[in-house]
Amino acid sequence: GLAAAAPDAGPGPAWQSKCPWGAPNTTSISCSLADVMSEQLAKELQLEEENAAFPEVVAVAEGPFITGENIDTSSDLMLAQMLQMEFDREYDAQLRREEKKINGDSKVSISFENYRKVHPYDSDSSEDEVDWQDTRHDPYRADKPTTTPRRGFIGKGKDITTKHDEVVCGRKNTARMENFAPEFQVGDGIGMDLKLSNQVFNALKQHAYSEERRSARLHEKKEHSTAEKAVDPKTRLLLYKMVNAGMLETITGCISTGKESVVFHAYGGNATEDKVIPPECAIKVFKTTLNEFKNRDKYIKDDYRFKDRFSKLNPRKIIRMWAEKEMHNLTRMQNAGIPCPEVVILKKHVLVMSFIGKDQIPAPKLKDVTLSSEDMTKAYYQTLNMMQQLYKECNLVHADLSEYNMLWHDGKVWLIDVSQSVEPTHPHGLEFLFRDCRNVAQFFQKGGVAEALNERELFNAVSGLNITADNEVDFQAEIEALEKMNEDHVQNHGKKLATFSSDGDPPIYDE
């Protein structure tokens, strides 16, 4: 009733003008129809009404935070920020799923925390989603470093703890395992409350250092050794230098492998002023590891030519001496006219010689070739003649002569592998000669050569010593007696007892 009577009442008391149900006394403002139809004017009026009715809502909307109720969808920047936030949330959720899939139940887990797009207003993440590895707190390490006082203990009364406490030392030893080499696996002891005693820690520390040194030695040995195929980086560099210098045209491949060396085939390059390079060459690379023939130092140790330079503590120098010894022996044989490879050049432990064969095919060994009876007899007399020349003219004993070290090429027998050859005055020279005679006699007797001498007759024919013994035991005893007599004479007088006469006769061993 009051609402209905209010418009019809005339001027009344003052309280009626403030009645909220009363009609406001407003004056109408005239405007044109174009202004009424203006959209910009409508927006301005609506904004004025909202600012007058809800001032606090407008203050929140103008702040830095965004809610779902007061979003101005007409702003492209606001829409882009909303889309980017939603994309980041989906990306973080995908990373969490990947972490859970990869880690599983493993004790060691990985975290993609550094790749997440976490916003300051993103409240979806919780504490249990943060990986434990990203936390800087270590439950077994003090928050602040505590220093041990000078008096050597902490605490008072019955709670005194010294620096030698078993628990304190055990935890410190466990933490010190982090300083071990990366290759030394310490397990999960660092991540748990493990207490290592000093005895156990010292044993682990010593073992870790020993393993580290052993690993370094194995790595160095692998880098510098030539046990496998005899081509290490240093050997390969030597071969490259020979090719680049024009001495060799190309290296085709491996043709032979042995205990002490590997032989490669190569085509010769341009000849120099003082050296003629053969069309085909054989490259003998001596292995720099003595594990496979470590007992062969006796061939060098007692050789007067290398006695002063011999060092058992340096294997690389021994190998170079071994290669140098073969070069000198081949030079002697070549000067005497014995069929053997011709020396081209020696570089450290790489010896380049002429190739015995044709078109990359090496000449067969005497044990692999099938000869007629006539050729076998011819080969026997050639071998006997070469053994006599080697002993008398070259003053050498092959020391490893057998059908494995003799090649058959162009109807002749060729001698190879003379790195172990020694002089007859060597303390074991006659013993090596008797062994060579035994190998040669047995091979040609099995080959059907009727004229082949036995080992004792062949020894006397080569050396000219004319040892008369009825059996092999007495024969070898006399050989040892001659070697002993010669060795004593060298030690006492400093010179060789055996001498060659001018007419080329074999040496005479006498007092």
Side-chain angles (χ1 to χ4, degrees):
L2 292 175
D8 298 336
W15 64 269
Q16 291 183 355
S17 62
K18 296 181 181 180
C19 180
W21 292 279
N25 296 326
T26 58
T27 59
S28 59
I29 302 175
S30 61
C31 59
S32 64
L33 181 61
D35 294 339
V36 173
M37 298 301 293
S38 174
E39 184 178 357
Q40 184 68 23
L41 179 61
K43 288 183 179 181
E44 292 178 358
L45 293 176
Q46 182 181 1
L47 184 60
E48 291 178 0
E49 293 178 358
E50 290 178 355
N51 292 337
F54 311 102
E56 66 278 359
V57 176
V58 174
V60 174
E62 293 177 356
F65 298 102
I66 303 173
T67 62
E69 299 178 357
N70 55 353
I71 298 175
D72 186 9
T73 56
S74 62
S75 175
D76 294 340
L77 176 61
M78 191 63 63
L79 288 175
Q81 291 177 351
M82 293 169 56
L83 292 175
Q84 184 64 40
M85 182 179 64
E86 187 65 26
F87 174 79
D88 292 345
R89 289 177 178 175
E90 295 179 359
Y91 180 76
D92 292 349
Q94 178 66 21
L95 288 181
R96 297 188 194 101
R97 289 193 294 268
E98 290 292 334
E99 284 182 8
K100 186 176 180 181
K101 179 180 178 181
I102 294 175
N103 295 331
D105 298 332
S106 176
K107 294 182 180 180
V108 179
S109 60
I110 64 172
S111 174
F112 297 150
E113 190 70 24
N114 295 335
Y115 301 98
R116 291 179 182 171
K117 307 292 184 180
V118 181
H119 296 273
Y121 49 83
D122 189 4
S123 60
D124 293 342
S125 61
S126 58
E127 290 185 0
D128 54 353
E129 294 174 353
V130 180
D131 192 86
W132 65 271
Q133 291 183 352
D134 298 328
T135 61
R136 299 301 179 91
H137 176 65
D138 188 353
Y140 306 114
R141 186 178 299 172
D143 294 337
K144 295 182 180 179
T146 58
T147 58
T148 304
R150 292 185 178 181
R151 58 180 180 270
F153 63 90
I154 57 176
K156 296 181 180 180
K158 297 181 179 180
D159 299 331
I160 290 179
T161 302
T162 66
K163 62 180 180 180
H164 303 291
D165 183 70
E166 183 179 359
V167 177
V168 175
C169 289
R171 288 177 176 171
K172 286 184 178 180
N173 292 335
T174 303
R176 288 172 184 168
M177 288 196 302
E178 293 181 347
N179 300 327
F180 289 167
E183 297 82 8
F184 188 78
Q185 305 296 331
V186 297
D188 298 334
I190 299 178
M192 60 182 68
D193 190 11
L194 182 64
K195 307 174 187 66
L196 290 180
S197 63
N198 292 335
Q199 182 179 2
V200 175
F201 174 76
N202 291 334
L204 287 176
K205 182 179 178 181
Q206 184 64 31
H207 179 67
Y209 289 162
S210 299
E211 288 295 315
E212 186 177 4
R213 290 194 299 267
R214 188 180 70 89
S215 177
R217 287 196 303 269
L218 290 177
H219 180 70
E220 183 180 2
K221 181 178 179 182
K222 183 178 180 181
E223 288 292 330
H224 297 88
S225 68
T226 57
E228 184 179 359
K229 297 302 180 185
V231 181
D232 60 345
K234 291 186 176 180
T235 305
R236 193 178 297 113
L237 182 61
L238 290 176
L239 298 179
Y240 286 160
K241 287 183 177 179
M242 292 182 184
V243 175
N244 293 335
M247 181 178 300
L248 300 177
E249 181 179 353
T250 180
I251 301 175
T252 57
C254 178
I255 58 176
S256 176
T257 59
K259 294 182 297 183
E260 63 181 25
S261 62
V262 177
V263 182
F264 297 91
H265 176 271
Y267 286 105
N270 300 326
T272 59
E273 297 179 357
D274 56 346
K275 184 66 64 175
V276 178
I277 308 298
E280 291 184 88
C281 297
I283 305 174
K284 188 171 185 179
V285 180
F286 289 84
K287 297 180 181 179
T288 55
T289 52
L290 294 179
N291 296 331
E292 296 180 349
F293 59 109
K294 57 185 178 182
N295 295 327
R296 294 206 166 196
D297 57 352
K298 63 183 180 181
Y299 294 94
I300 300 180
K301 179 175 60 177
D302 298 322
D303 196 329
Y304 78 96
R305 296 176 294 173
F306 305 93
K307 191 171 184 179
D308 296 336
R309 298 164 51 194
F310 180 77
S311 174
K312 200 171 185 179
L313 301 178
N314 196 333
R316 284 192 165 272
K317 288 187 177 180
I318 295 178
I319 295 303
R320 294 183 184 181
M321 291 171 62
W322 196 265
E324 182 181 349
K325 186 177 181 182
E326 177 155 5
M327 180 193 69
H328 290 305
N329 293 339
L330 286 176
T331 304
R332 283 192 187 185
M333 295 168 60
Q334 184 180 354
N335 295 333
I338 299 176
C340 65
E342 178 184 354
V343 177
V344 178
I345 193 172
L346 172 66
K347 290 290 186 181
K348 295 183 179 180
H349 60 282
V350 178
L351 179 62
V352 182
M353 306 171 291
S354 61
F355 180 70
I356 309 301
K358 189 177 181 181
D359 297 334
Q360 302 185 27
I361 301 177
K365 298 177 182 178
L366 209 56
K367 74 175 187 67
D368 296 329
V369 66
T370 303
L371 300 178
S372 61
S373 58
E374 182 180 356
D375 289 339
M376 184 65 74
T377 304
K378 180 181 177 182
Y380 171 72
Y381 283 109
Q382 287 181 0
T383 304
L384 178 59
N385 185 30
M386 285 190 297
M387 292 178 68
Q388 291 177 343
Q389 280 185 293
L390 195 66
Y391 189 90
K392 298 175 182 179
E393 300 180 18
C394 301
N395 195 23
L396 287 175
V397 175
H398 192 282
D400 193 22
L401 187 62
S402 66
E403 62 272 17
Y404 293 87
N405 292 330
M406 292 186 288
L407 304 180
W408 181 258
H409 180 63
D410 291 340
K412 294 189 299 184
V413 178
W414 296 68
L415 294 183
I416 61 171
D417 193 9
V418 293
S419 57
Q420 73 286 331
S421 299
V422 296
E423 293 195 350
T425 54
H426 188 277
H428 303 283
L430 297 181
E431 178 185 348
F432 295 154
L433 178 60
F434 183 74
R435 187 177 61 188
D436 292 346
C437 294
R438 177 188 298 168
N439 295 334
V440 172
Q442 291 178 355
F443 172 74
F444 284 104
Q445 286 176 356
K446 291 180 180 179
V449 179
E451 298 87 350
L453 304 175
N454 58 31
E455 57 266 22
R456 287 174 288 176
E457 296 173 347
L458 184 60
F459 179 86
N460 290 329
V462 172
S463 62
L465 295 177
N466 298 322
I467 298 177
T468 58
D470 298 335
N471 51 40
E472 184 176 345
V473 176
D474 296 338
F475 197 90
Q476 290 184 348
E478 292 191 24
I479 291 177
E480 293 177 0
L482 289 175
E483 291 177 342
K484 178 65 176 175
M485 181 178 59
N486 186 71
E487 184 177 3
D488 293 342
H489 186 86
V490 171
Q491 291 180 356
N492 295 331
H493 301 279
K495 60 181 180 179
K496 296 181 293 181
L497 177 63
T499 56
F500 287 92
S501 58
S502 59
D503 55 357
D505 293 334
I508 305 299
Y509 288 81
D510 54 10
E511 299 181 355

